[in-house]
Structures are given as structure tokens and as C-alpha cells.
Amino acid sequence: MNLNYFGSVQTTKAVISKMKEQGGGRIVFISSQAGQLGLFGYTGYAASKFALRGLAESLQMEVRPYNIYVTVAHPPDTETPGFEEEERNK
């Protein structure tokens, strides 16, 4: 949660005022396929990625009047150290 969710919250807080001043912008959150459905063995990870979707949906309603748009990308498996470890232990 600290990285996947709260990291996104803090980053968004850092830029949202400037976007409002500039008259618009776009925020893109990087989630995961695990942010769309629960997966066995990924309880903590999936929950943190699901949280991004909720953040994005709520935030979009709040910032639309400022011409700010919020998007969530849900990429599939991505080559990361965590994915490499998963592949070794399947």
C-alpha cells in the first residue's frame, strides 16, 4: 500500500494544484491486471492496485471541472524483479 497506493496519492497531491493553476492536465496511474480482479496469492498486491482504481474514479469526478483527466493503465505481466521471482517459483 505504501508504494502502490500512497505513493500515487502523495505524487498526485504534489502536482494537482499546479495543474489547476495551468488550467488542466492528465494524471495516469499505473495499476495492473491484478487491479481488475482478485488473484489467489496476490491478496496484498491486488488490494493495493484495486485502491488505485477507486482513487482514480473518485478523483476524476473532483477534478473534471478543472480540465484535469485521470486515467488508469492496467498492463499485464511486466518484467520486474517481482515478476522474475514469481516465474522461478510457479
Side-chain angles (χ1 to χ4, degrees), residues 17-80:
S17 293
K18 188 68 171 173
M19 287 181 170
K20 287 178 180 179
E21 289 174 18
Q22 293 178 162
R26 179 168 301 276
I27 297 167
V28 180
F29 295 117
I30 306 300
S31 183
S32 167
Q33 289 291 321
Q36 295 181 327
L37 64 139
L39 296 170
F40 179 85
Y42 289 85
T43 303
Y45 179 77
S48 71
K49 294 300 189 171
F50 264 105
L52 283 177
R53 180 177 173 175
L55 172 64
E57 288 178 8
S58 300
L59 183 62
Q60 178 61 77
M61 290 182 241
E62 295 176 12
V63 298
R64 179 168 274 154
Y66 302 98
N67 198 35
I68 299 170
Y69 297 91
V70 182
T71 301
V72 182
H74 294 276
D77 292 337
T78 304
E79 290 186 29
T80 64

